[in-house]
Amino acid sequence: MGRRWRDGQGELVVHGGGGEASVRVPLEIAASYRARTKGLLGRDSLDGAILLSPANSVHTFRMRMAIDVAYLDRRLRVIAVRTMRPGLLGMPRLRARHVVEAESGAMSGWGMREGARVEVVVARSQAHDAGAGRPRS
């Protein structure tokens, strides 16, 4: 069974490769259909990132800002990172199971690139639902 989270808050940890330090980013988790559908619609900015799970594609119709989009496989390894301006439909990624969105330009500063490994750490209030801070597998 795949990873499952509940809607809420947490941290995205981007593990640096080649000796780079890990970066921790505030994270919103959108796991329900309703939360995934709303995503970043109606926002002018985002502090950190939002995880859409499960998801393998996104669109930017009715968005107010350009975004970075990272597609993650089931092991939370980055398959691809794209920048999308408002009004676009992203191509589905067959191996993608999760999508992370952030303000345009943010992901390069975090070291989020193809092949990078990330970790999702849920907030303590949700830890009992997701196995002491880790997603259920």
Side-chain angles (χ1 to χ4, degrees):
M1 184 161 117
R3 297 171 189 266
R4 296 209 185 260
W5 293 278
R6 297 181 66 166
D7 293 346
Q9 305 294 316
E11 277 188 322
L12 179 72
V13 183
V14 181
H15 296 286
E20 294 177 35
S22 295
V23 176
R24 299 177 88 82
V25 178
L27 182 69
E28 293 179 36
I29 301 169
S32 69
Y33 175 78
R34 183 177 196 157
R36 288 191 318 268
T37 302
K38 183 171 192 257
L40 296 176
L41 292 177
R43 297 193 201 185
D44 293 319
S45 65
L46 173 66
D47 179 28
I50 184 169
L51 170 73
L52 308 174
S53 179
N56 68 353
S57 67
V58 296
H59 69 82
T60 57
F61 300 130
R62 297 185 354 225
M63 284 203 179
R64 298 178 180 173
M65 61 183 171
I67 60 171
D68 285 347
V69 179
Y71 299 89
L72 310 178
D73 68 12
R74 63 185 172 159
R75 293 192 172 112
L76 302 182
R77 201 159 288 277
V78 179
I79 296 170
V81 177
R82 299 289 181 260
T83 299
M84 295 177 64
R85 68 181 192 280
L88 296 178
L89 175 63
M91 295 295 296
R93 304 287 169 162
L94 296 178
R95 291 183 13 236
R97 298 295 179 264
H98 320 281
V99 174
V100 175
E101 296 177 343
E103 286 188 12
S104 179
M107 289 187 183
S108 64
W110 304 336
M112 191 94 137
R113 58 185 160 269
E114 187 175 335
R117 188 174 57 84
V118 301
E119 180 181 353
V120 174
V121 180
V122 297
R124 289 182 187 257
S125 62
Q126 294 176 253
H128 69 280
D129 294 324
R134 298 208 181 270
R136 290 177 282 187
S137 294

